[in-house]
Amino acid sequence: MNTTARRAHSAPDATTADPAGGREADDAIVELREALVYDLDEGFARLVGAHQAVAYSVALRTTGHRADAEDLLAESLLRAYRALRGYDATRLRELQPRPWLLTIVVNTRRNQVRDAARRPRADGAEPPDRPSTERSVEDRAQDAETSDELAAQLARLTDVQRTAVVLRHVVDLPIDEVAEVLGCPPGTAKSHVSRGLSRLRALMTPPDGVHTAATSRSNP
Amino acid sequence: MNDMTDHPTDDLTDDAVSTDLLDELANLASPPPAELTEGLFDRLFDRWLTTESPLGPVLVAYTGRGVSFVRTSALVPGEQFLETHRRRFGRPLRRADSTPAGLVDALWGRPGSVPEVDLEGLSAFEHDVLAATRTIPLGQTRPYAWVAREAGSPRAVRAAGSVLARNPVPLLVPCHRVVRSDGSPGQYLFGPETKQQLLSSEYARAHDL
C-alpha cells in the first residue's frame, strides 16, 4: 500500500501538522498563539488559514453534503472567534488550536441536528436558511454530490462512531486528539473508532461475498 | 503491510480489507473547493475603512451584504471603533482594500446608486424604522411620529426615536432628517448642533438645484 499518498491526502494542513501525524508542530502552535494574543483578528485569520482544510473535511464527512459543510464551517469559525474574544492571554497561550477548533465543529453540528429535530415541520415547507438539516444524513449522503459509496456508508454509522472514524482515519488525528474532540478518554475513543470500522466493513461487504475476509468476520 | 506501525492504536488493521478501507477513508479527506477558500474569508471577516464625510472623517464597516456600521472618528476613534464593532456584531474585521461602489456619494448625499446596507441582526421593528427613514429625500424632514407610523407602529414614537439613536449606518440611513413634530431638530447620535448643520446644508443644496 502507498502510505505516502495517504499522508498527502490525510494531512491537508501539512504546514502545521508534523510529518509523523502527531501533535501540531510546536513552533507553528506557539506562533499562532502569539498572533492571537497580539492581534485577535489577525491571529484568527491565521488560524482559519492553517486549519480550514482539516475542518472542512470533518464538516463534509460528518454532514455528507457540501453546502452543509460550508455553512457548518463558517458557523463554527464564527463561534470560534466569539469564544476567542472571551479568552485572556493565559488561556490563548494554552490553546491547542486543531482539537479545539474541531471540537467546535463537532458540537456545532450536534446542535444543528438537535435544533432541526426539534423544529416543527410545517407541511413540507422548509425554512429557507437551513433546508438540508431537515433531512437525515442518510438521505443527503445518497445525493448525487456524494456518489462515493464509502462516504454514503459513513452516514449509516452512529454520530459518535462516524465522528470518531472521520477524525481518526479521514483527517488522520492521533487518538488522544480524537478523544479530546469527543470529550472522552482515549480508550473510549479507540473503541468508537474500532466499532465504527467494524460496522463500515460489514456495510461495505457486497452481497456476493467477494470480500471474504470481512464476510467471515461478520458471519463466522 | 505497514499499517501496524501506521496506526498502532487500532486493533482491526491486520487484514487486507481493513487496509483497503483505511486507504479509502484517507482518500475522503477532500481539500475545500477553491471558491470556498476564497469566499470563506469574505464570509467571516467584515471590512473596514476610513473616508471623509459631511461629519468629518468616518470609519465604515461592511459585510458581503452591504455597509453595516458607520461612526465618526471624532466620536469613536480608530481602535475603539474596531472594538465597538466586534462587541456589537461579534465578527472579525480586516482593513478593506477597496471602497464599496457608491459609498462616498451616498455619505455626501449625492444622487446616484446607493450602496446596500446590511441590517442583519436587527429586529423587524428596527429594520422597518430604518427602512422608512431611508426613504426621506435630501432637503426634507419627517417627524418621529411619521417614522413610527410608516414602520407600522404609530404609537411607538419614542421607540422609533431609540432605534434611530442607535442607527448603525447614519448618513446612509439619514436619521438626521427625522425631527420633532414642532420642527425642532431633536437629538442626534453626533449631537443636535451637527444635526442642525447637516439639515441646513442639505436644505440649501436641495433648493439650489
Side-chain angles (χ1 to χ4, degrees), chain A residues 6 41 66 71 82 168, chain B residues 7 10 23 35 43 90 93:
Chain A
R6 159 130 50 105
D41 289 20
R66 187 176 136 177
D71 288 347
R82 285 163 194 165
R168 180 67 192 92
Chain B
H7 296 284
D10 296 325
D23 278 347
E35 66 270 21
R43 197 166 162 179
L93 276 165

Side-chain angles (χ1 to χ4, degrees), chain A residues 24-40:
Chain A
E24 293 159 273
D26 286 348
D27 287 355
I29 292 189
V30 171
E31 270 179 40
L32 180 55
R33 288 171 181 160
E34 290 307 317
L36 287 166
V37 171
Y38 179 72
D39 177 341
L40 187 69

Side-chain angles (χ1 to χ4, degrees), chain B residues 72-93:
Chain B
T72 60
S73 307
L75 183 71
V76 190
E79 188 51 44
Q80 199 189 327
F81 172 83
L82 302 183
E83 189 49 34
T84 305
H85 177 283
R86 290 182 193 114
R87 202 167 51 236
R88 186 161 172 162
F89 298 93
R91 299 167 60 87
L93 276 165

Side-chain angles (χ1 to χ4, degrees), chain B residues 7-190:
Chain B
H7 296 284
T9 52
D10 296 325
D11 302 319
L12 299 165
T13 56
D14 55 351
D15 62 71
V17 174
S18 47
T19 304
D20 289 347
L21 182 61
L22 297 186
D23 278 347
E24 284 184 53
L25 280 169
N27 286 335
L28 290 182
S30 41
E35 66 270 21
L36 172 67
T37 307
E38 290 161 18
L40 189 60
F41 277 86
D42 286 341
R43 197 166 162 179
L44 295 172
F45 283 81
D46 295 348
R47 305 277 166 171
W48 70 274
L49 55 87
T50 56
T51 187
E52 286 297 319
S53 83
L55 303 172
V58 284
L59 293 122
V60 178
Y62 61 94
T63 71
R65 285 180 297 268
V67 178
S68 53
F69 201 42
V70 176
R71 287 293 181 264
T72 60
S73 307
L75 183 71
V76 190
E79 188 51 44
Q80 199 189 327
F81 172 83
L82 302 183
E83 189 49 34
T84 305
H85 177 283
R86 290 182 193 114
R87 202 167 51 236
R88 186 161 172 162
F89 298 93
R91 299 167 60 87
L93 276 165
R94 301 192 106 181
R95 189 184 268 279
D97 38 26
S98 64
T99 306
L103 172 67
V104 175
D105 283 347
L107 288 172
W108 287 91
R110 296 179 195 129
S113 65
V114 290
E116 296 291 323
V117 293
D118 181 356
L119 302 178
E120 181 105 345
L122 297 184
S123 72
F125 178 68
E126 289 172 315
H127 194 277
D128 292 346
V129 165
L130 296 174
T133 303
R134 209 175 186 200
T135 65
I136 307 171
L138 180 84
Q140 299 187 22
T141 58
R142 297 284 185 280
Y144 287 99
W146 177 90
V147 173
R149 200 164 57 236
E150 289 293 303
S153 307
R155 296 169 65 184
V157 179
R158 193 172 289 270
S162 305
V163 171
L164 294 175
R166 272 178 59 82
N167 180 7
V169 284
L171 296 177
L172 302 182
V173 168
C175 54
H176 59 279
R177 295 177 196 157
V178 183
V179 297
R180 289 189 180 145
S181 46
D182 65 6
S184 66
Q187 290 302 313
Y188 188 43
L189 268 164
F190 308 114

